[in-house]
PDB file of all heavy atoms in Angstrom:
ATOM      1  N   ARG A1238      -3.057  41.350  73.366  1.00  0.00           N
ATOM      2  CA  ARG A1238      -2.108  42.116  74.250  1.00  0.00           C
ATOM      3  C   ARG A1238      -2.601  42.069  75.667  1.00  0.00           C
ATOM      4  O   ARG A1238      -1.814  42.031  76.594  1.00  0.00           O
ATOM      5  CB  ARG A1238      -1.932  43.518  73.749  1.00  0.00           C
ATOM      6  CG  ARG A1238      -0.975  43.624  72.565  1.00  0.00           C
ATOM      7  CD  ARG A1238      -0.604  45.126  72.282  1.00  0.00           C
ATOM      8  NE  ARG A1238      -1.760  45.796  71.643  1.00  0.00           N
ATOM      9  CZ  ARG A1238      -1.954  45.837  70.362  1.00  0.00           C
ATOM     10  NH1 ARG A1238      -1.113  45.189  69.517  1.00  0.00           N
ATOM     11  NH2 ARG A1238      -2.962  46.467  69.842  1.00  0.00           N
ATOM     12  N   SER A1239      -3.952  42.218  75.826  1.00  0.00           N
ATOM     13  CA  SER A1239      -4.524  42.230  77.169  1.00  0.00           C
ATOM     14  C   SER A1239      -4.275  40.891  77.858  1.00  0.00           C
ATOM     15  O   SER A1239      -3.987  40.847  79.059  1.00  0.00           O
ATOM     16  CB  SER A1239      -6.051  42.540  77.116  1.00  0.00           C
ATOM     17  OG  SER A1239      -6.298  43.803  76.599  1.00  0.00           O
ATOM     18  N   ILE A1240      -4.461  39.763  77.153  1.00  0.00           N
ATOM     19  CA  ILE A1240      -4.261  38.486  77.726  1.00  0.00           C
ATOM     20  C   ILE A1240      -2.789  38.314  78.075  1.00  0.00           C
ATOM     21  O   ILE A1240      -2.469  37.780  79.177  1.00  0.00           O
ATOM     22  CB  ILE A1240      -4.704  37.375  76.716  1.00  0.00           C
ATOM     23  CG1 ILE A1240      -6.218  37.454  76.531  1.00  0.00           C
ATOM     24  CG2 ILE A1240      -4.306  35.999  77.215  1.00  0.00           C
ATOM     25  CD1 ILE A1240      -6.762  36.512  75.458  1.00  0.00           C
ATOM     26  N   ARG A1241      -1.912  38.744  77.225  1.00  0.00           N
ATOM     27  CA  ARG A1241      -0.438  38.574  77.456  1.00  0.00           C
ATOM     28  C   ARG A1241       0.024  39.440  78.655  1.00  0.00           C
ATOM     29  O   ARG A1241       0.955  39.084  79.347  1.00  0.00           O
ATOM     30  CB  ARG A1241       0.336  38.964  76.232  1.00  0.00           C
ATOM     31  CG  ARG A1241       0.269  37.943  75.087  1.00  0.00           C
ATOM     32  CD  ARG A1241       0.979  38.409  73.858  1.00  0.00           C
ATOM     33  NE  ARG A1241       1.071  37.382  72.793  1.00  0.00           N
ATOM     34  CZ  ARG A1241       1.543  37.594  71.598  1.00  0.00           C
ATOM     35  NH1 ARG A1241       2.067  38.774  71.291  1.00  0.00           N
ATOM     36  NH2 ARG A1241       1.491  36.638  70.697  1.00  0.00           N
ATOM     37  N   SER A1242      -0.684  40.575  78.879  1.00  0.00           N
ATOM     38  CA  SER A1242      -0.267  41.490  79.931  1.00  0.00           C
ATOM     39  C   SER A1242      -1.022  41.271  81.210  1.00  0.00           C
ATOM     40  O   SER A1242      -0.878  42.051  82.141  1.00  0.00           O
ATOM     41  CB  SER A1242      -0.490  42.912  79.450  1.00  0.00           C
ATOM     42  OG  SER A1242      -1.844  43.203  79.237  1.00  0.00           O
ATOM     43  N   LEU A1243      -1.814  40.188  81.322  1.00  0.00           N
ATOM     44  CA  LEU A1243      -2.545  39.956  82.511  1.00  0.00           C
ATOM     45  C   LEU A1243      -1.609  39.774  83.716  1.00  0.00           C
ATOM     46  O   LEU A1243      -0.623  39.051  83.633  1.00  0.00           O
ATOM     47  CB  LEU A1243      -3.390  38.634  82.397  1.00  0.00           C
ATOM     48  CG  LEU A1243      -4.624  38.684  81.516  1.00  0.00           C
ATOM     49  CD1 LEU A1243      -5.296  37.321  81.504  1.00  0.00           C
ATOM     50  CD2 LEU A1243      -5.592  39.738  81.968  1.00  0.00           C
ATOM     51  N   ASN A1244      -1.880  40.485  84.801  1.00  0.00           N
ATOM     52  CA  ASN A1244      -1.118  40.262  85.994  1.00  0.00           C
ATOM     53  C   ASN A1244      -1.758  39.110  86.787  1.00  0.00           C
ATOM     54  O   ASN A1244      -2.774  38.534  86.344  1.00  0.00           O
ATOM     55  CB  ASN A1244      -1.107  41.567  86.854  1.00  0.00           C
ATOM     56  CG  ASN A1244      -2.469  42.070  87.214  1.00  0.00           C
ATOM     57  OD1 ASN A1244      -3.351  41.289  87.490  1.00  0.00           O
ATOM     58  ND2 ASN A1244      -2.611  43.377  87.218  1.00  0.00           N
ATOM     59  N   LEU A1245      -1.201  38.774  87.869  1.00  0.00           N
ATOM     60  CA  LEU A1245      -1.648  37.583  88.667  1.00  0.00           C
ATOM     61  C   LEU A1245      -3.086  37.750  89.076  1.00  0.00           C
ATOM     62  O   LEU A1245      -3.863  36.822  89.047  1.00  0.00           O
ATOM     63  CB  LEU A1245      -0.732  37.337  89.850  1.00  0.00           C
ATOM     64  CG  LEU A1245      -1.105  36.173  90.775  1.00  0.00           C
ATOM     65  CD1 LEU A1245      -1.094  34.871  89.960  1.00  0.00           C
ATOM     66  CD2 LEU A1245      -0.140  36.101  91.921  1.00  0.00           C
ATOM     67  N   LEU A1246      -3.405  39.026  89.510  1.00  0.00           N
ATOM     68  CA  LEU A1246      -4.801  39.296  89.979  1.00  0.00           C
ATOM     69  C   LEU A1246      -5.811  39.026  88.869  1.00  0.00           C
ATOM     70  O   LEU A1246      -6.853  38.398  89.057  1.00  0.00           O
ATOM     71  CB  LEU A1246      -4.900  40.702  90.492  1.00  0.00           C
ATOM     72  CG  LEU A1246      -6.206  41.071  91.260  1.00  0.00           C
ATOM     73  CD1 LEU A1246      -6.290  40.334  92.567  1.00  0.00           C
ATOM     74  CD2 LEU A1246      -6.232  42.578  91.491  1.00  0.00           C
ATOM     75  N   GLU A1247      -5.554  39.621  87.692  1.00  0.00           N
ATOM     76  CA  GLU A1247      -6.485  39.513  86.574  1.00  0.00           C
ATOM     77  C   GLU A1247      -6.605  38.053  86.062  1.00  0.00           C
ATOM     78  O   GLU A1247      -7.681  37.593  85.749  1.00  0.00           O
ATOM     79  CB  GLU A1247      -6.010  40.455  85.413  1.00  0.00           C
ATOM     80  CG  GLU A1247      -6.175  41.914  85.789  1.00  0.00           C
ATOM     81  CD  GLU A1247      -5.492  42.786  84.733  1.00  0.00           C
ATOM     82  OE1 GLU A1247      -4.561  42.335  84.104  1.00  0.00           O
ATOM     83  OE2 GLU A1247      -5.949  43.967  84.593  1.00  0.00           O
ATOM     84  N   ALA A1248      -5.477  37.359  86.056  1.00  0.00           N
ATOM     85  CA  ALA A1248      -5.459  35.944  85.611  1.00  0.00           C
ATOM     86  C   ALA A1248      -6.279  35.133  86.593  1.00  0.00           C
ATOM     87  O   ALA A1248      -7.024  34.231  86.225  1.00  0.00           O
ATOM     88  CB  ALA A1248      -4.021  35.457  85.505  1.00  0.00           C
ATOM     89  N   SER A1249      -6.164  35.413  87.893  1.00  0.00           N
ATOM     90  CA  SER A1249      -6.903  34.704  88.848  1.00  0.00           C
ATOM     91  C   SER A1249      -8.381  34.976  88.695  1.00  0.00           C
ATOM     92  O   SER A1249      -9.228  34.089  88.867  1.00  0.00           O
ATOM     93  CB  SER A1249      -6.442  35.098  90.266  1.00  0.00           C
ATOM     94  OG  SER A1249      -5.102  34.824  90.522  1.00  0.00           O
ATOM     95  N   GLY A1250      -8.755  36.262  88.407  1.00  0.00           N
ATOM     96  CA  GLY A1250     -10.121  36.594  88.155  1.00  0.00           C
ATOM     97  C   GLY A1250     -10.696  35.825  87.008  1.00  0.00           C
ATOM     98  O   GLY A1250     -11.851  35.376  87.041  1.00  0.00           O
ATOM     99  N   LEU A1251      -9.915  35.674  85.941  1.00  0.00           N
ATOM    100  CA  LEU A1251     -10.381  34.931  84.771  1.00  0.00           C
ATOM    101  C   LEU A1251     -10.692  33.431  85.177  1.00  0.00           C
ATOM    102  O   LEU A1251     -11.717  32.940  84.855  1.00  0.00           O
ATOM    103  CB  LEU A1251      -9.302  34.937  83.683  1.00  0.00           C
ATOM    104  CG  LEU A1251      -9.504  34.058  82.454  1.00  0.00           C
ATOM    105  CD1 LEU A1251     -10.734  34.424  81.718  1.00  0.00           C
ATOM    106  CD2 LEU A1251      -8.285  34.068  81.582  1.00  0.00           C
ATOM    107  N   VAL A1252      -9.766  32.839  85.884  1.00  0.00           N
ATOM    108  CA  VAL A1252      -9.898  31.464  86.282  1.00  0.00           C
ATOM    109  C   VAL A1252     -11.100  31.235  87.179  1.00  0.00           C
ATOM    110  O   VAL A1252     -11.977  30.405  86.919  1.00  0.00           O
ATOM    111  CB  VAL A1252      -8.650  30.933  86.961  1.00  0.00           C
ATOM    112  CG1 VAL A1252      -8.894  29.513  87.528  1.00  0.00           C
ATOM    113  CG2 VAL A1252      -7.453  30.910  85.988  1.00  0.00           C
ATOM    114  N   PHE A1253     -11.187  32.034  88.219  1.00  0.00           N
ATOM    115  CA  PHE A1253     -12.315  31.871  89.191  1.00  0.00           C
ATOM    116  C   PHE A1253     -13.639  32.320  88.625  1.00  0.00           C
ATOM    117  O   PHE A1253     -14.708  31.725  88.941  1.00  0.00           O
ATOM    118  CB  PHE A1253     -12.017  32.636  90.494  1.00  0.00           C
ATOM    119  CG  PHE A1253     -10.946  31.980  91.371  1.00  0.00           C
ATOM    120  CD1 PHE A1253      -9.652  32.540  91.453  1.00  0.00           C
ATOM    121  CD2 PHE A1253     -11.271  30.868  92.068  1.00  0.00           C
ATOM    122  CE1 PHE A1253      -8.698  31.911  92.207  1.00  0.00           C
ATOM    123  CE2 PHE A1253     -10.327  30.223  92.840  1.00  0.00           C
ATOM    124  CZ  PHE A1253      -8.991  30.760  92.914  1.00  0.00           C
ATOM    125  N   GLY A1254     -13.618  33.292  87.729  1.00  0.00           N
ATOM    126  CA  GLY A1254     -14.879  33.731  87.087  1.00  0.00           C
ATOM    127  C   GLY A1254     -15.477  32.640  86.248  1.00  0.00           C
ATOM    128  O   GLY A1254     -16.662  32.388  86.252  1.00  0.00           O
ATOM    129  N   LEU A1255     -14.594  31.947  85.469  1.00  0.00           N
ATOM    130  CA  LEU A1255     -15.067  30.898  84.581  1.00  0.00           C
ATOM    131  C   LEU A1255     -15.486  29.633  85.440  1.00  0.00           C
ATOM    132  O   LEU A1255     -16.492  29.008  85.174  1.00  0.00           O
ATOM    133  CB  LEU A1255     -13.989  30.468  83.607  1.00  0.00           C
ATOM    134  CG  LEU A1255     -13.711  31.500  82.481  1.00  0.00           C
ATOM    135  CD1 LEU A1255     -12.492  31.066  81.673  1.00  0.00           C
ATOM    136  CD2 LEU A1255     -14.942  31.702  81.590  1.00  0.00           C
ATOM    137  N   LEU A1256     -14.689  29.323  86.456  1.00  0.00           N
ATOM    138  CA  LEU A1256     -14.974  28.198  87.264  1.00  0.00           C
ATOM    139  C   LEU A1256     -16.308  28.253  88.009  1.00  0.00           C
ATOM    140  O   LEU A1256     -17.102  27.271  88.057  1.00  0.00           O
ATOM    141  CB  LEU A1256     -13.876  27.927  88.273  1.00  0.00           C
ATOM    142  CG  LEU A1256     -12.581  27.310  87.766  1.00  0.00           C
ATOM    143  CD1 LEU A1256     -11.544  27.195  88.876  1.00  0.00           C
ATOM    144  CD2 LEU A1256     -12.874  25.912  87.188  1.00  0.00           C
ATOM    145  N   CYS A1257     -16.633  29.484  88.557  1.00  0.00           N
ATOM    146  CA  CYS A1257     -17.874  29.583  89.303  1.00  0.00           C
ATOM    147  C   CYS A1257     -19.088  29.444  88.399  1.00  0.00           C
ATOM    148  O   CYS A1257     -20.130  28.935  88.806  1.00  0.00           O
ATOM    149  CB  CYS A1257     -17.884  30.868  90.084  1.00  0.00           C
ATOM    150  SG  CYS A1257     -18.041  32.395  89.161  1.00  0.00           S
ATOM    151  N   VAL A1258     -19.000  29.932  87.110  1.00  0.00           N
ATOM    152  CA  VAL A1258     -20.091  29.720  86.178  1.00  0.00           C
ATOM    153  C   VAL A1258     -20.239  28.274  85.781  1.00  0.00           C
ATOM    154  O   VAL A1258     -21.354  27.739  85.655  1.00  0.00           O
ATOM    155  CB  VAL A1258     -19.879  30.651  84.963  1.00  0.00           C
ATOM    156  CG1 VAL A1258     -20.978  30.398  83.943  1.00  0.00           C
ATOM    157  CG2 VAL A1258     -19.865  32.101  85.348  1.00  0.00           C
ATOM    158  N   LEU A1259     -19.124  27.606  85.531  1.00  0.00           N
ATOM    159  CA  LEU A1259     -19.171  26.241  85.140  1.00  0.00           C
ATOM    160  C   LEU A1259     -19.775  25.350  86.248  1.00  0.00           C
ATOM    161  O   LEU A1259     -20.609  24.491  85.942  1.00  0.00           O
ATOM    162  CB  LEU A1259     -17.749  25.731  84.811  1.00  0.00           C
ATOM    163  CG  LEU A1259     -17.130  26.299  83.521  1.00  0.00           C
ATOM    164  CD1 LEU A1259     -15.705  25.870  83.394  1.00  0.00           C
ATOM    165  CD2 LEU A1259     -17.924  25.799  82.286  1.00  0.00           C
ATOM    166  N   PHE A1260     -19.463  25.650  87.475  1.00  0.00           N
ATOM    167  CA  PHE A1260     -20.045  24.900  88.570  1.00  0.00           C
ATOM    168  C   PHE A1260     -21.436  25.229  88.802  1.00  0.00           C
ATOM    169  O   PHE A1260     -22.285  24.412  89.192  1.00  0.00           O
ATOM    170  CB  PHE A1260     -19.228  25.165  89.903  1.00  0.00           C
ATOM    171  CG  PHE A1260     -18.010  24.311  90.054  1.00  0.00           C
ATOM    172  CD1 PHE A1260     -16.761  24.822  89.843  1.00  0.00           C
ATOM    173  CD2 PHE A1260     -18.139  22.927  90.393  1.00  0.00           C
ATOM    174  CE1 PHE A1260     -15.628  24.017  89.940  1.00  0.00           C
ATOM    175  CE2 PHE A1260     -17.018  22.167  90.514  1.00  0.00           C
ATOM    176  CZ  PHE A1260     -15.780  22.677  90.316  1.00  0.00           C
ATOM    177  N   LEU A1261     -21.883  26.524  88.429  1.00  0.00           N
ATOM    178  CA  LEU A1261     -23.291  26.878  88.496  1.00  0.00           C
ATOM    179  C   LEU A1261     -24.088  26.098  87.493  1.00  0.00           C
ATOM    180  O   LEU A1261     -25.168  25.610  87.754  1.00  0.00           O
ATOM    181  CB  LEU A1261     -23.439  28.388  88.267  1.00  0.00           C
ATOM    182  CG  LEU A1261     -24.891  28.928  88.338  1.00  0.00           C
ATOM    183  CD1 LEU A1261     -25.482  28.763  89.739  1.00  0.00           C
ATOM    184  CD2 LEU A1261     -24.929  30.405  87.933  1.00  0.00           C
ATOM    185  N   ILE A1262     -23.531  25.965  86.277  1.00  0.00           N
ATOM    186  CA  ILE A1262     -24.212  25.182  85.226  1.00  0.00           C
ATOM    187  C   ILE A1262     -24.429  23.731  85.647  1.00  0.00           C
ATOM    188  O   ILE A1262     -25.496  23.166  85.497  1.00  0.00           O
ATOM    189  CB  ILE A1262     -23.366  25.184  83.922  1.00  0.00           C
ATOM    190  CG1 ILE A1262     -23.359  26.599  83.321  1.00  0.00           C
ATOM    191  CG2 ILE A1262     -23.892  24.201  82.921  1.00  0.00           C
ATOM    192  CD1 ILE A1262     -22.416  26.756  82.139  1.00  0.00           C
ATOM    193  N   LYS A1263     -23.411  23.201  86.341  1.00  0.00           N
ATOM    194  CA  LYS A1263     -23.518  21.764  86.802  1.00  0.00           C
ATOM    195  C   LYS A1263     -24.254  21.652  88.123  1.00  0.00           C
ATOM    196  O   LYS A1263     -24.359  20.547  88.662  1.00  0.00           O
ATOM    197  CB  LYS A1263     -22.075  21.256  86.976  1.00  0.00           C
ATOM    198  CG  LYS A1263     -21.222  21.155  85.661  1.00  0.00           C
ATOM    199  CD  LYS A1263     -21.922  20.214  84.674  1.00  0.00           C
ATOM    200  CE  LYS A1263     -21.076  20.090  83.410  1.00  0.00           C
ATOM    201  NZ  LYS A1263     -21.719  19.138  82.433  1.00  0.00           N
ATOM    202  N   GLU A1264     -24.790  22.784  88.640  1.00  0.00           N
ATOM    203  CA  GLU A1264     -25.542  22.772  89.921  1.00  0.00           C
ATOM    204  C   GLU A1264     -24.703  22.278  91.128  1.00  0.00           C
ATOM    205  O   GLU A1264     -25.217  21.605  92.004  1.00  0.00           O
ATOM    206  CB  GLU A1264     -26.810  21.954  89.787  1.00  0.00           C
ATOM    207  CG  GLU A1264     -27.733  22.398  88.670  1.00  0.00           C
ATOM    208  CD  GLU A1264     -28.966  21.503  88.542  1.00  0.00           C
ATOM    209  OE1 GLU A1264     -29.602  21.279  89.576  1.00  0.00           O
ATOM    210  OE2 GLU A1264     -29.241  21.025  87.440  1.00  0.00           O
ATOM    211  N   LYS A1265     -23.415  22.633  91.131  1.00  0.00           N
ATOM    212  CA  LYS A1265     -22.504  22.220  92.181  1.00  0.00           C
ATOM    213  C   LYS A1265     -22.346  23.368  93.189  1.00  0.00           C
ATOM    214  O   LYS A1265     -22.119  24.503  92.754  1.00  0.00           O
ATOM    215  CB  LYS A1265     -21.141  21.802  91.614  1.00  0.00           C
ATOM    216  CG  LYS A1265     -21.249  20.655  90.586  1.00  0.00           C
ATOM    217  CD  LYS A1265     -21.776  19.377  91.218  1.00  0.00           C
ATOM    218  CE  LYS A1265     -21.754  18.238  90.249  1.00  0.00           C
ATOM    219  NZ  LYS A1265     -22.384  16.995  90.828  1.00  0.00           N
ATOM    220  N   VAL A1266     -22.404  23.014  94.460  1.00  0.00           N
ATOM    221  CA  VAL A1266     -22.357  24.092  95.482  1.00  0.00           C
ATOM    222  C   VAL A1266     -21.031  24.802  95.528  1.00  0.00           C
ATOM    223  O   VAL A1266     -20.931  25.913  96.077  1.00  0.00           O
ATOM    224  CB  VAL A1266     -22.680  23.406  96.865  1.00  0.00           C
ATOM    225  CG1 VAL A1266     -21.501  22.545  97.359  1.00  0.00           C
ATOM    226  CG2 VAL A1266     -23.062  24.474  97.909  1.00  0.00           C
ATOM    227  N   TRP A1267     -20.000  24.248  94.911  1.00  0.00           N
ATOM    228  CA  TRP A1267     -18.677  24.889  94.840  1.00  0.00           C
ATOM    229  C   TRP A1267     -18.747  26.225  94.118  1.00  0.00           C
ATOM    230  O   TRP A1267     -17.766  27.012  94.197  1.00  0.00           O
ATOM    231  CB  TRP A1267     -17.624  23.965  94.248  1.00  0.00           C
ATOM    232  CG  TRP A1267     -17.065  23.015  95.284  1.00  0.00           C
ATOM    233  CD1 TRP A1267     -17.309  21.661  95.450  1.00  0.00           C
ATOM    234  CD2 TRP A1267     -16.044  23.341  96.245  1.00  0.00           C
ATOM    235  NE1 TRP A1267     -16.579  21.179  96.468  1.00  0.00           N
ATOM    236  CE2 TRP A1267     -15.831  22.162  97.019  1.00  0.00           C
ATOM    237  CE3 TRP A1267     -15.399  24.555  96.556  1.00  0.00           C
ATOM    238  CZ2 TRP A1267     -14.920  22.131  98.038  1.00  0.00           C
ATOM    239  CZ3 TRP A1267     -14.491  24.476  97.619  1.00  0.00           C
ATOM    240  CH2 TRP A1267     -14.281  23.312  98.337  1.00  0.00           C
ATOM    241  N   THR A1268     -19.790  26.408  93.361  1.00  0.00           N
ATOM    242  CA  THR A1268     -19.919  27.625  92.613  1.00  0.00           C
ATOM    243  C   THR A1268     -19.899  28.870  93.583  1.00  0.00           C
ATOM    244  O   THR A1268     -19.402  29.937  93.186  1.00  0.00           O
ATOM    245  CB  THR A1268     -21.252  27.711  91.797  1.00  0.00           C
ATOM    246  OG1 THR A1268     -21.262  28.923  91.042  1.00  0.00           O
ATOM    247  CG2 THR A1268     -22.477  27.680  92.701  1.00  0.00           C
ATOM    248  N   TRP A1269     -20.392  28.693  94.777  1.00  0.00           N
ATOM    249  CA  TRP A1269     -20.493  29.814  95.739  1.00  0.00           C
ATOM    250  C   TRP A1269     -19.160  30.218  96.350  1.00  0.00           C
ATOM    251  O   TRP A1269     -18.829  31.418  96.367  1.00  0.00           O
ATOM    252  CB  TRP A1269     -21.566  29.508  96.777  1.00  0.00           C
ATOM    253  CG  TRP A1269     -22.898  29.232  96.103  1.00  0.00           C
ATOM    254  CD1 TRP A1269     -23.554  28.039  96.092  1.00  0.00           C
ATOM    255  CD2 TRP A1269     -23.674  30.167  95.295  1.00  0.00           C
ATOM    256  NE1 TRP A1269     -24.707  28.147  95.307  1.00  0.00           N
ATOM    257  CE2 TRP A1269     -24.828  29.395  94.826  1.00  0.00           C
ATOM    258  CE3 TRP A1269     -23.535  31.477  94.949  1.00  0.00           C
ATOM    259  CZ2 TRP A1269     -25.806  29.999  94.028  1.00  0.00           C
ATOM    260  CZ3 TRP A1269     -24.502  32.090  94.167  1.00  0.00           C
ATOM    261  CH2 TRP A1269     -25.596  31.360  93.704  1.00  0.00           C
ATOM    262  N   PRO A1270     -18.364  29.300  96.951  1.00  0.00           N
ATOM    263  CA  PRO A1270     -17.088  29.717  97.462  1.00  0.00           C
ATOM    264  C   PRO A1270     -16.144  30.281  96.414  1.00  0.00           C
ATOM    265  O   PRO A1270     -15.362  31.221  96.610  1.00  0.00           O
ATOM    266  CB  PRO A1270     -16.510  28.460  98.115  1.00  0.00           C
ATOM    267  CG  PRO A1270     -17.312  27.341  97.590  1.00  0.00           C
ATOM    268  CD  PRO A1270     -18.681  27.928  97.278  1.00  0.00           C
ATOM    269  N   LEU A1271     -16.206  29.644  95.183  1.00  0.00           N
ATOM    270  CA  LEU A1271     -15.385  30.150  94.092  1.00  0.00           C
ATOM    271  C   LEU A1271     -15.852  31.565  93.655  1.00  0.00           C
ATOM    272  O   LEU A1271     -15.021  32.432  93.340  1.00  0.00           O
ATOM    273  CB  LEU A1271     -15.495  29.196  92.886  1.00  0.00           C
ATOM    274  CG  LEU A1271     -14.793  27.850  93.069  1.00  0.00           C
ATOM    275  CD1 LEU A1271     -15.152  26.941  91.917  1.00  0.00           C
ATOM    276  CD2 LEU A1271     -13.326  27.999  93.216  1.00  0.00           C
TER     277      LEU A1271
END
């Protein structure tokens, strides 16, 4: 229900939160602006 009720802000947080960790794992500098 939480996933289905995600608003745009929360959905964006999910996407950017995961992306910055993935780029950190890969040692890519893009982790910081994300």
Side-chain angles (χ1 to χ4, degrees):
R1238 280 191 287 273
S1239 296
I1240 294 174
R1241 288 177 176 174
S1242 65
L1243 287 180
N1244 57 38
L1245 180 60
L1246 188 69
E1247 292 170 332
S1249 299
L1251 172 63
V1252 172
F1253 285 105
L1255 290 173
L1256 282 177
C1257 69
V1258 176
L1259 289 172
F1260 276 104
L1261 181 63
I1262 292 173
K1263 297 296 184 180
E1264 302 177 52
K1265 301 299 182 183
V1266 73
W1267 275 103
T1268 184
W1269 304 112
L1271 291 172

